[in-house]
Amino acid sequence: QQESSLGIAPSETVAGQEVVPELEKLRLKAVAKVREYMLQKIGELRKPKTNVQIIQKTALLKYHHLMEFLMEKAPEVAEEVRTTYVDSMGRTLHALFKAYHSQLSKLDMEIANKYDMIAVEENATKSVFSSKVDLSKRGDAFSLGGRDQVLENVDVGPILVHLAQAEEARYPYEALFRSIIKHLMDSATNEYLFGIDFFNDRSFETFNLIFARTISLCLENLENYLFTCWDAIGLLLMIKVVHAQRLVMQRRRIPVLDSVFDRINMLLWPRLKVILDANLRSVEQAQPRKLGSVTKNPHYVTRRYSEFTASILTLHGGMESLGIAGGGEDMLRNDLTKLRAGIVELLKRLSEELPSPKQRLVFLINNYDQILSVFAERNMVGEETAWFDETLAQHRGLFVEEELSQGFSQLIAFVQQTEAAMAGSKAA
């Protein structure tokens, strides 16, 4: 209200006082019209198969100046519009994510179950149609294979369920997880930017209110999966996926999911530890006579151990420098060291099922060679490879001594006696 040249506010003049009621009627009418329009368009967000972003862009953001009018002239109505939008959008997103997760779950390809341990009893690993140990699926729970491709596709669009169903595709859980979180990231980005442009809200309040149920749903679904998860490789992939997706959001400068990523990590790491401990227990508590027949050939637990270790080490690479584990990388190293000691001890116990020292050495040599062969196939170099290289060389030396002692025992005894006599004469 500017003052006139006479020092009187326009509204205090006779003419002004006559106009003020009319202006108030006009304001109320404008507020009512804007309110009706906004609530109508927001209501459309809850209709099935609605393109939310089209409504946001063409029906809401296009008229963001009307929202500014409400915030200035009728803040209580502006808050009603915001509250209605929060409720409608929250319900819409929750329904969309619930349906998407339900559809994705039908595409899940089970990788591992509780029997997929390194040293599981033979009965649990037999094929239904055979009395032999089934190793046809050796790559599933223990070998990385091409599963790390998911790390190359972190920012690729979510899985399109109708296309996947048409192709009868199946995915390991980490691929489904990446798709869900990618969907969450894109929705979060859109809503956060919409909140800034439409509600002039740079805080996280509006976003948190909209996404509270959806984020809880995603975390609950993840928890339900983890209750029965025995796939250590998948969990490590998910940990790396989460880190990569966090970097994507940082590049977008959209910080609203940082706490979600933290909560996901707090679910993944403890379950990974449970699975690693279970594998270690299976090795330490294994009874050789329940692990099938022992011959000079490599045992199936050796193949499982070597594939599992190679996969863990491949995914562990770079984790410390990325700082993504919060100390978890040390846990992995310690657990792998314990697992190595356990498998070496188990192989010794398995070798004792063989009758002669020579056969026991051949068994150990073949198993250590198997481990190194797998490491070589996976291009593994480092502490684990060096340790088994040295151990294999020692056992080969012992085997040579064993062979010589059997074929040339008298000659070896003569040489030893002669060397002792010569040493005695020199001393005298």
Side-chain angles (χ1 to χ4, degrees):
Q1 295 183 355
Q2 296 179 346
E3 291 191 359
S4 69
S5 58
L6 298 177
I8 303 173
S11 61
E12 294 178 0
T13 64
V14 175
Q17 289 176 353
E18 291 177 356
V19 171
V20 165
E22 298 303 319
L23 288 175
E24 179 62 14
K25 289 179 184 177
L26 185 60
R27 182 188 73 85
L28 292 175
K29 187 173 183 180
V31 167
K33 286 283 188 182
V34 173
R35 175 183 178 276
E36 181 184 2
Y37 173 82
M38 292 295 182
L39 295 183
Q40 178 193 347
K41 293 303 176 183
I42 290 171
E44 291 178 7
L45 294 173
R46 296 178 62 175
K47 293 180 180 179
K49 299 182 179 180
T50 296
N51 190 319
V52 170
Q53 291 190 21
I54 291 295
I55 293 178
Q56 287 177 329
K57 290 177 181 178
T58 62
L60 296 176
L61 282 176
K62 186 177 178 180
Y63 302 107
H64 67 91
H65 56 279
L66 296 179
M67 191 63 193
E68 292 171 3
F69 167 75
L70 289 182
M71 288 188 282
E72 182 181 349
K73 301 299 183 182
E76 70 287 350
V77 176
E79 181 59 25
E80 180 191 4
V81 170
R82 189 183 80 99
T83 302
T84 304
Y85 178 85
V86 165
D87 181 65
S88 295
M89 200 63 207
R91 290 174 183 271
T92 298
L93 285 170
H94 181 266
L96 286 172
F97 273 86
K98 186 175 182 180
Y100 187 59
H101 184 274
S102 176
Q103 293 168 338
L104 277 187
S105 64
K106 298 173 184 176
L107 306 178
D108 187 16
M109 176 174 61
E110 183 184 4
I111 299 294
N113 58 43
K114 63 181 179 180
Y115 297 112
D116 285 304
M117 297 289 115
I118 291 172
V120 70
E121 293 184 9
E122 184 185 29
N123 288 338
T125 61
K126 285 180 180 177
S127 167
V128 176
F129 305 104
S130 170
S131 61
K132 295 182 179 180
V133 173
D134 180 13
L135 293 181
S136 62
K137 293 175 64 180
R138 68 164 180 81
D140 286 358
F142 306 100
S143 176
L144 182 59
R147 292 173 66 184
D148 55 349
Q149 184 66 35
V150 71
L151 300 176
E152 305 290 326
N153 300 329
V154 166
D155 206 25
V156 173
I159 294 170
L160 299 177
V161 176
H162 63 283
L163 289 181
Q165 289 175 337
E167 296 169 359
E168 297 185 351
R170 291 291 181 271
Y171 302 90
Y173 189 81
E174 68 270 9
L176 305 182
F177 171 80
R178 180 212 69 85
S179 188
I180 290 170
I181 303 302
K182 166 64 176 170
H183 194 11
L184 181 64
M185 289 162 56
D186 292 345
S187 299
T189 299
N190 181 69
E191 282 306 312
Y192 181 64
L193 295 177
F194 178 83
I196 292 174
D197 294 338
F198 193 67
F199 295 112
N200 194 27
D201 181 8
R202 292 185 175 274
S203 73
F204 295 176
E205 182 185 357
T206 301
F207 173 86
N208 289 337
L209 289 171
I210 291 172
F211 275 86
R213 292 183 66 203
T214 298
I215 289 172
S216 294
L217 173 71
C218 292
L219 293 173
E220 181 183 348
N221 288 333
L222 177 60
E223 280 189 275
N224 290 337
Y225 166 75
L226 293 177
F227 283 140
T228 56
C229 172
W230 296 99
D231 181 13
I233 308 302
L235 292 187
L236 264 179
L237 284 168
M238 289 161 69
I239 288 168
K240 298 195 83 166
V241 163
V242 167
H243 174 69
Q245 290 178 323
R246 188 195 291 264
L247 292 180
V248 171
M249 293 300 281
Q250 287 176 358
R251 287 194 292 271
R252 295 181 184 181
R253 298 185 178 181
I254 307 291
V256 289
L257 292 181
D258 284 353
S259 62
V260 177
F261 292 138
D262 290 340
R263 290 164 71 184
I264 290 173
N265 272 323
M266 290 174 67
L267 293 174
L268 296 179
W269 277 105
R271 185 62 193 180
L272 176 60
K273 178 62 175 170
V274 167
I275 299 171
L276 292 173
D277 287 347
N279 273 284
L280 179 59
R281 263 196 319 276
S282 77
V283 170
E284 291 177 339
Q285 299 176 4
Q287 300 179 36
R289 295 188 180 181
K290 292 186 177 182
L291 296 179
S293 59
V294 178
T295 66
K296 66 179 181 179
N297 297 318
H299 200 276
Y300 68 84
V301 299
T302 302
R303 182 78 192 193
R304 288 184 165 206
Y305 163 79
S306 50
E307 291 279 8
F308 185 74
T309 301
S311 298
I312 297 290
L313 287 173
T314 298
L315 294 175
H316 175 270
M319 287 182 71
E320 187 173 8
S321 62
L322 290 173
I324 72 176
E329 65 277 357
D330 292 331
M331 178 200 80
L332 284 177
R333 275 198 298 268
N334 292 337
D335 283 354
L336 286 179
T337 299
K338 293 177 184 176
L339 190 57
R340 180 181 67 199
I343 200 70
V344 168
E345 181 59 32
L346 176 57
L347 289 175
K348 287 179 182 177
R349 286 187 279 130
L350 285 168
S351 72
E352 291 169 2
E353 298 294 305
L354 297 170
S356 70
K358 179 180 176 181
Q359 287 176 310
R360 293 169 195 161
L361 279 171
V362 170
F363 172 80
L364 292 173
I365 288 169
N366 287 340
N367 279 275
Y368 292 145
D369 185 65
Q370 168 82 90
I371 292 170
L372 287 169
S373 295
V374 172
F375 285 1
E377 289 172 13
R378 306 291 178 264
N379 298 313
M380 298 302 306
V381 291
E383 181 183 339
E384 294 295 318
T385 302
W387 193 93
F388 279 106
D389 265 328
E390 183 180 346
T391 303
L392 178 60
Q394 291 174 355
H395 281 77
R396 281 175 172 165
L398 292 173
F399 177 77
V400 170
E401 291 179 12
E402 181 69 22
E403 284 284 88
L404 290 174
S405 68
Q406 289 185 4
F408 303 94
S409 56
Q410 293 181 347
L411 177 59
I412 291 172
F414 171 74
V415 170
Q416 291 174 340
Q417 290 172 3
T418 303
E419 287 177 344
M422 290 176 66
S425 63
K426 286 181 180 179

